[in-house]
Amino acid sequence: MSRSLPDHKTVLDALALACRAPSVHNTQPWRWLVGDRSVHLMADPERRVPATDPDGRDLLISCGAALHHLEVAFAALGRRAVPHLLPNHAEPAHLAAVETHPHEPEVEDITLVTAVNRRRTDRRAYSSWPVSVAHLDLIIRRAAAFGVVAVPITDAVERHRFARAAAAAARQQETDHAYAAELVAWTGRARSAEEGVPAGGIPVRTIDVEGVPMRVFPSGSLAPSPTGAAEEDASVLLVLGTADDDTPARLRAGQATSAVLLTATELGLATCPMSQPLEVPRYRAEIRDRFLDGAGHAQLVVRVGYAPTSAEPVPRSPRRPLADVFAYLPGMAPPRP
Ligand SMILES: Cc1cc2nc3c(=O)[nH]c(=O)nc-3n(C[C@H](O)[C@H](O)[C@H](O)COP(=O)(O)O)c2cc1C
């Protein structure tokens, strides 16, 4: 193909893995363009959910997560990906141009790529097994590689404060008809849907963990695990924060989100991204003041913990066909066999 990209099949395999990234409401707000020397990540603004995500932060975090998934996929396939963020200032939807260089896959590359297909958003109660300090340290270090702090809320008093802010944000959002309409449109979908949150991934009953509410979805069919109750849940909440709040910072927050989720999956932990507490500006500011010492900007909260051993696996959420989300730049399509 080119001096910088590997052969077509390797690029398509990497893109298929990149598209397994999490995204708000499983909107998959990305498109990929394959050029001569680079793979280009484009935002798809049509897929923003404006009532849920008024300033487009969740969309950018989702795209950043897909970018990191692509880096992980290329590394395991023998290419080191080098992303250039916002390579074209005249085109703000052009989020990254990714070049690749030959690379000898390492053990970490293989364990991370294995986690891509195993990771699920698990919205149920987790078990009473505590997350070890060593595991938290590794997760925090992997986020830090992107310049993103991951601050764990472990103290009961702090957790209570977080719960109050999260509950207030949820109450405010739930009175918004446009927000409710987006939830209905994007969630509780049938198994055959290619996007949105399927009913099979939403618990029959929404839980709150020590007063921290999980997002309430209109319909769910995921049975609670026979053991494991919200009262015993020993999960840890991590607040991800960045120094700036511009597009590159949010993309890096997305890369760090992916690193946190894949590392946790590699360690056998269940995970759930939670953006709802930050979607109402007043409570986002309150969470920044309490948990980021008033400095920087809160981008996402991630819950990590152990699923009860008796829990049924969460079904894999769907994705759009690769052919719908990628295209070759003119002259780059492979010759027909
Ligand atoms: C930026 C972002 C925000 C999210 N916010 C929430 C949330 O508030 N509550 C929730 O249950 N899931 C949330 N999710 C998880 C998505 O719903 C999930 O990634 C998507 O449905 C695909 O499912 P999967 O993660 O199992 O592949 C969020 C994901 C991202 C990337």
Side-chain angles (χ1 to χ4, degrees):
M1 174 185 263
S2 73
R3 280 162 292 163
S4 165
L5 289 181
D7 60 274
H8 289 286
K9 181 176 182 310
T10 304
V11 171
L12 295 189
D13 286 349
L15 287 176
L17 285 162
C19 291
R20 290 304 311 161
S23 60
V24 61
H25 290 358
N26 200 15
T27 47
Q28 306 164 54
W30 47 67
R31 283 186 306 118
W32 306 96
L33 296 175
V34 178
D36 174 19
R37 300 176 60 84
S38 311
V39 174
H40 302 273
L41 168 62
M42 313 294 294
D44 185 346
E46 303 270 297
R47 293 183 159 263
R48 185 166 71 88
V49 275
T52 310
D53 181 26
D55 70 353
R57 183 175 57 254
D58 292 343
L59 180 147
L60 288 172
I61 293 173
S62 304
C63 289
L67 176 61
H68 180 258
H69 269 51
L70 183 72
E71 294 173 66
V72 165
F74 268 135
L77 291 165
R79 306 292 295 190
R80 186 171 61 83
V82 182
H84 303 280
L85 301 186
L86 297 183
N88 177 2
H89 287 291
E91 174 49 289
H94 189 178
L95 299 180
V98 182
E99 289 182 354
T100 73
H101 303 282
H103 163 79
E104 193 61 45
E106 294 165 12
V107 174
E108 184 183 319
D109 300 324
I110 304 302
T111 51
L112 277 185
V113 82
T114 309
V116 166
N117 278 319
R118 288 190 10 240
R119 185 201 60 79
R120 308 275 190 274
T121 293
D122 189 340
R123 302 177 176 87
R124 299 171 297 185
Y126 298 166
S127 78
S128 58
W129 278 75
V131 183
S132 75
V133 172
H135 284 178
L136 272 183
D137 280 352
L138 178 62
I139 290 170
I140 291 166
R141 273 207 311 280
R142 295 250 174 104
F146 296 93
V148 175
V149 291
V151 179
I153 308 177
T154 41
D155 174 87
V157 175
E158 293 295 291
R159 181 117 166 181
H160 178 67
R161 289 195 172 127
F162 178 83
R164 276 214 319 241
R171 274 197 304 277
Q172 181 164 327
Q173 234 177 8
E174 282 157 16
T175 60
D176 177 352
H177 294 303
Y179 168 81
E182 273 174 8
L183 266 187
V184 169
W186 281 99
T187 67
R189 300 239 178 145
R191 289 175 76 119
S192 55
E194 293 169 349
E195 58 198 4
V197 186
I202 301 172
V204 179
R205 277 186 305 282
T206 309
I207 56 156
D208 72 53
V209 178
E210 291 180 58
V212 180
M214 301 299 121
R215 200 194 287 279
V216 177
F217 291 97
S219 57
S221 60
L222 180 64
S225 47
T227 59
E231 312 80 65
E232 296 167 5
D233 182 311
S235 58
V236 174
L237 298 172
L238 291 162
V239 180
L240 305 194
T242 50
D244 300 313
D245 201 20
D246 51 12
T247 298
R250 290 172 174 188
L251 287 171
R252 278 193 290 273
Q255 290 172 291
T257 296
S258 166
V260 164
L261 297 175
L262 295 180
T263 303
T265 304
E266 168 196 336
L267 296 170
L269 291 158
T271 58
C272 183
M274 294 167 53
S275 49
Q276 187 175 34
L278 307 178
E279 284 161 2
V280 179
R282 174 177 161 192
Y283 299 106
R284 183 180 182 219
E286 193 173 315
I287 288 167
R288 186 266 306 268
D289 290 346
R290 289 208 187 282
F291 302 104
L292 301 178
D293 293 333
H297 302 272
Q299 301 292 356
L300 189 69
V301 178
V302 178
R303 184 164 73 103
V304 297
Y306 288 98
T309 47
S310 57
E312 288 291 320
V314 176
R316 183 176 150 103
S317 62
R319 292 295 184 272
R320 290 185 290 159
L322 190 55
D324 290 4
V325 294
F326 104 99
Y328 289 105
L329 287 174
M332 288 311 302
R336 286 179 186 278

